[in-house]
């Protein structure tokens, strides 16, 4: 009665507040209802690690199901091990000896009495042999059956089935390719550009785009090696590459008879075929195209008797023509944005379908509610071509708030290892519309504190300010076109630079007041603030709750300049500072306090701002300038990893662009090439050797 009266009152006074309360209540009631049902399984094992293992464990616990984690020796203190009810070590750190070791995982299932296995994504999630072993042991697989997995997981077979089911497919060769001469002939028949990719691949691995014969030869070789390393299967296929297309995918759920589709996810923002930012729905699609794509996706499910969650990926041009790429027979990394806009727990549906329950949804039940984004936060250096970064998270503080969700598997003090994908977390935001979801993503990225490893937050935050992104004009070439020289850091406007200078100067005054016994002596100050190669002369006046900052110009009266007003509510020493500058809200992080300034994270980028008195500024002109060490006579490893091959020997004369070595990190193979013509003096490494970042691999004669 009281709840009904409250809803009635809110509906009259604030429809939006009423809607939020109804949504919250529906989620609470559905969760409560689910908890009173008998769990479909008593115990499940999660054959994965990291954030996806933690994600599955959360739903299982809510459903009253006990969980078993498996872990490698390197993951003995990992979050998914802590979160599970039981945990079993399945081998050493290398994935081939642990997370991909079917025999060890089957032993863990037998040891713990798990009735079902959820594979997450990657690893064994699309391994038909693993599913057959589970079927033999009478253990349920929380995913499709082995036939559907083989049929759809094999990119060659899936295209044949898709064509028969009436699904639009990309022109290409419907078969495996192995001989290089055959590969080149097919490429000539199809026409460049072409894409070569692993038949059993996924996650952006084992894929290369080639625009000519030479690129095809190199790409084919590297893709086969990556496929063998990542999936234990180096079969390859070749197809036409749709230039300037958009990557849009349809989430499906099926129980073997019935199938439904969900609103699309746009995944066009990719780097090296690896998704970086996803959103749902797509800014491009209309309801007619959405329905057509969804109906083709469900037709494909019915053609193979599909059971569980899956994703049908399409490439779409700007005229809304769409072509089947592949079907992922597992839960996708980016599934949370679908959950957010449809109020659905996909993992719960997967578990119930695996237990033999019929699909509890009908197509008419699935509606779009708002907009959602996912940013993949990686331990990688965007300023060094996104090379992986390893190390310990010395400080880790996750953002929170309305419309913010974090799916992560790391914690403060935890380690980002060389052995696995460098994903720190998936940061998801929701809004009533696209603009609100973007704004919440900006705030969440600004509040995200990550120290100890390099990370890609500066890049993600820069994308959130990119006008083409804000307009929704996306293609899979978005990153190379918008950042043709690689990521160089956020380009601050003049107003943004002045605001940052004003904030730093105000922080210096607040710091002086905090450290000084005589508060009144620190109510005003003059500084020279240096930022981005410019020196700003400013005067700061403390006016109680605000600081007024005046910028002096040569020949101008500072009192006539318009003041930049900074809200003065920073808790000195706190990592984050949220306030208002010139009526514009801001969030920044203080990364490091220096003797004469600060290292700050502003709009996602790490910047150094020096705040000095005029006298200090004059004296610094007499300080010696450090010179950078000359490394032109050596090839260093740009990342920690393992040497796959070395292509040169002492005495070899090499030319600019020539391949020197291949280093594998996080399952991705990186070709290192000569930056100039030279002669090899000494090779310091050999294949199979582990190397650290900046370790010298090859020395050249001077």
């Amino acid at each position: 009665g009281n709840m009904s009266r409250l809803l009635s009152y809110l509906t009259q006074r604030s429809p939006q507040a009423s809607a939020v309360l109804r949504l919250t209540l529906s989620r609470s009631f559905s969760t409560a209802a689910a908890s009173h049902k008998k769990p479909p399984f008593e115990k499940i094992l999660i054959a994965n690690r990291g954030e996806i293992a933690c994600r599955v464990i959360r739903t299982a616990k809510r459903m009253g199901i006990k969980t078993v984690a498996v872990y490698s020796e390197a993951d003995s203190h990992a979050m998914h091990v802590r979160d599970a009810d039981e945990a079993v070590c399945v081998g050493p750190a290398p994935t081939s000896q642990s997370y991909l070791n079917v025999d060890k995982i089957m032993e863990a299932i037998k040891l713990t009495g798990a009735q079902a296995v959820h594979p997450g994504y990657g690893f064994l999630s699309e391994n038909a042999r693993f599913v057959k072993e589970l079927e033999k042991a009478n253990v349920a697989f929380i995913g499709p059956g082995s036939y559907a997995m083989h049929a759809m997981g094999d990119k060659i077979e899936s295209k044949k089935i898709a064509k028969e089911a009436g699904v639009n497919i990309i022109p290409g060769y419907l078969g495996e390719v192995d001989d290089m001469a055959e590969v080149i002939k097919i490429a000539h028949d199809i026409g460049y550009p072409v894409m070569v990719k692993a038949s059993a691949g996924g996650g952006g691995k084992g894929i290369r785009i080639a625009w000519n014969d030479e690129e095809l030869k190199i790409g084919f070789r590297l893709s086969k090696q990556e496929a063998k390393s990542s999936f234990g299967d180096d079969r390859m296929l070749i197809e036409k590459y749709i230039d300037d297309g958009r990557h849009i995918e349809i989430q499906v759920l099926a129980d073997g008879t019935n199938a439904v589709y969900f609103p699309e996810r746009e995944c066009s923002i990719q780097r090296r075929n690896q998704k970086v930012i996803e959103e749902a729905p797509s800014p491009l699609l209309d309801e007619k195209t959405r329905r057509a794509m969804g109906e083709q996706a469900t037709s494909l499910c019915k053609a193979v008797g599909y059971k569980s969650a899956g994703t049908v990926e399409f490439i779409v041009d700007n005229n809304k023509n769409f072509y089947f790429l592949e079907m992922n027979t597992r839960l996708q990394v980016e599934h949370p944005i679908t959950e957010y806009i449809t109020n659905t727990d996909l993992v719960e549906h997967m578990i119930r379908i695996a237990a033999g329950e019929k699909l509890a949804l009908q197509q008419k039940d699935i509606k779009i509610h708002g907009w959602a984004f996912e940013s993949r936060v990686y331990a990688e250096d965007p300023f060094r071509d996104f090379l992986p970064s390893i190390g310990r998270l010395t400080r880790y503080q996750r953002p929170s708030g309305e419309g913010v969700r974090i799916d992560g598997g790391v914690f403060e003090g935890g380690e980002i290892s060389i052995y696995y994908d460098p994903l720190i977390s998936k940061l998801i935001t929701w809004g009533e519309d696209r603009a609100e979801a973007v704004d919440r993503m900006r705030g969440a990225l600004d509040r995200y504190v990550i120290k100890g490893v390099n990370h890609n937050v500066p890049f993600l935050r820069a994308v959130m300010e990119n006008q083409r992104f804000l307009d929704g004009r996306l293609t899979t070439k978005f990153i190379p076109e918008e950042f043709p020289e690689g990521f160089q850091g956020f380009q601050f406007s003049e107003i943004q630079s002045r605001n940052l200078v004003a904030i730093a100067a105000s922080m210096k005054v607040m710091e002086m007041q905090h450290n000084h016994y005589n508060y009144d002596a620190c109510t005003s100050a003059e500084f020279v603030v240096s930022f981005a190669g410019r020196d700003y002369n400013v005067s700061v006046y403390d006016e109680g709750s605000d600081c007024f900052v005046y910028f002096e110009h040569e020949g101008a009266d500072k009192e006539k300049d318009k003041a930049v007003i900074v809200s003065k509510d920073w808790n000195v020493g706190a990592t984050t500072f949220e306030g208002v500058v010139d009526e514009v809200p801001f969030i920044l992080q203080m990364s490091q306090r220096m003797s004469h300034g600060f290292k700050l994270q502003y709009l996602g980028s790490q910047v150094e701002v020096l705040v000095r008195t005029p006298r200090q500024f004059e004296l610094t002109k007499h300080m010696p300038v450090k010179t950078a060490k000359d490394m032109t006579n050596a090839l260093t490893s740009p990342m920690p990893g393992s040497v796959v091959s070395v292509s040169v020997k002492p005495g070899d004369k090499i030319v600019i662009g020539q391949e020197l070595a291949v280093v594998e990190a996080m399952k991705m193979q990186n070709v290192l090439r000569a930056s100039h013509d030279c002669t090899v003096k000494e090779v310091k490494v050999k294949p199979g050797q582990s190397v650290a970042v900046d370790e010298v691999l090859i020395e050249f004669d001077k």
Side-chain angles (χ1 to χ4, degrees), residues 274-288:
Q274 177 77 52
K275 300 163 190 173
V276 179
I277 297 173
E278 304 98 344
E279 63 181 296
S282 165
L284 175 70
L285 295 197
D286 52 31
E287 186 55 41
K288 179 182 177 182

Side-chain angles (χ1 to χ4, degrees), residues 101-111 130 133-134 137:
N101 190 328
V102 173
D103 294 335
K104 284 286 188 181
I105 291 176
M106 292 303 298
E107 287 177 16
I109 294 167
K110 185 177 180 181
L111 177 67
F130 180 52
E133 290 294 324
L134 292 174

Side-chain angles (χ1 to χ4, degrees), residues 59-213:
T59 290
K61 284 189 174 182
R62 179 176 61 76
M63 296 174 70
I65 301 171
K66 292 182 179 179
T67 57
V68 180
V70 294
Y71 64 94
S72 70
E73 292 170 0
D75 272 344
S76 59
H77 300 292
M79 183 177 286
H80 73 284
V81 176
R82 298 181 179 187
D83 288 353
D85 297 297
E86 301 175 57
V88 180
C89 181
V90 290
T95 55
S96 61
Q97 300 175 50
S98 52
Y99 296 106
L100 288 173
N101 190 328
V102 173
D103 294 335
K104 284 286 188 181
I105 291 176
M106 292 303 298
E107 287 177 16
I109 294 167
K110 185 177 180 181
L111 177 67
T112 59
Q115 301 165 306
V117 173
H118 197 299
Y121 53 76
F123 293 137
L124 297 173
S125 63
E126 295 177 287
N127 187 304
R129 182 212 155 193
F130 180 52
V131 178
K132 288 178 181 177
E133 290 294 324
L134 292 174
E135 290 169 353
K136 285 183 198 174
N138 200 29
V139 174
F141 180 71
I142 304 174
S146 56
Y147 167 71
M149 176 177 290
H150 173 75
M152 289 293 96
D154 187 303
K155 292 178 174 58
I156 297 170
E157 184 68 19
S158 67
K159 285 184 183 295
K160 295 177 181 177
I161 295 172
K163 188 175 182 179
E164 292 172 1
V167 180
N168 305 339
I169 66 169
I170 299 175
Y173 179 72
L174 290 178
E176 300 169 21
V177 289
D178 188 56
D179 179 70
M180 184 60 71
E182 180 191 18
V183 170
I184 293 174
K185 181 181 181 301
I186 294 170
H188 288 178
D189 292 340
I190 298 171
Y192 287 108
V194 298
M195 177 182 285
V196 290
K197 58 183 179 181
S199 178
K205 297 177 177 67
I207 298 177
R208 293 293 189 282
I209 297 164
W211 294 78
N212 54 52
D213 289 358

Side-chain angles (χ1 to χ4, degrees), residues 467-534:
Q467 192 57 53
R468 178 176 162 186
F469 166 77
L470 296 175
D471 293 340
R473 294 182 287 110
L474 309 177
T475 73
T476 54
K477 293 162 63 178
F478 175 87
I479 291 178
E481 288 180 348
E482 293 300 300
F483 304 92
E485 304 300 322
F487 183 62
Q488 306 294 321
F490 184 75
Q491 302 302 307
F492 294 95
S493 68
E494 177 62 24
I495 292 175
Q496 289 168 333
S497 296
R498 286 168 63 88
N499 285 349
L500 178 58
V501 167
I503 294 168
S506 301
M507 290 174 67
K508 188 67 174 179
V509 167
M510 287 182 255
E511 192 178 66
M512 290 165 57
Q513 292 170 347
H514 179 78
N515 296 332
H516 208 284
Y517 289 111
N518 184 358
Y519 177 90
D520 293 332
C522 301
T523 55
S524 65
E526 292 187 357
F527 300 115
V528 179
V529 183
S530 303
F531 169 63
R534 289 187 60 183

Side-chain angles (χ1 to χ4, degrees), residues 389-495:
S389 175
I390 63 171
R392 195 167 300 281
L393 291 166
T394 57
R395 185 75 187 274
Y396 186 67
Q397 184 176 320
R398 297 161 32 138
S400 60
E402 184 178 359
V404 177
R405 166 177 165 177
I406 291 266
D407 279 18
V410 300
F411 53 90
E412 188 168 293
E415 187 176 1
I416 304 297
S417 168
I418 188 176
Y419 297 104
Y420 311 116
D421 188 85
L423 182 69
I424 294 174
S425 74
K426 301 178 317 197
L427 175 58
I428 308 106
T429 58
W430 176 90
E432 292 286 348
D433 54 28
R434 191 172 190 265
E436 185 176 43
V438 168
D439 195 53
R440 285 179 172 168
M441 181 61 75
R442 288 168 171 159
L445 288 167
D446 286 340
R447 294 182 180 93
Y448 208 157
V449 180
I450 306 171
K451 295 183 180 180
V453 296
N454 294 316
H455 53 79
N456 67 335
V457 167
F459 173 76
L460 299 171
R461 187 61 176 83
V463 172
M464 293 297 138
E465 298 293 329
N466 179 279
Q467 192 57 53
R468 178 176 162 186
F469 166 77
L470 296 175
D471 293 340
R473 294 182 287 110
L474 309 177
T475 73
T476 54
K477 293 162 63 178
F478 175 87
I479 291 178
E481 288 180 348
E482 293 300 300
F483 304 92
E485 304 300 322
F487 183 62
Q488 306 294 321
F490 184 75
Q491 302 302 307
F492 294 95
S493 68
E494 177 62 24
I495 292 175

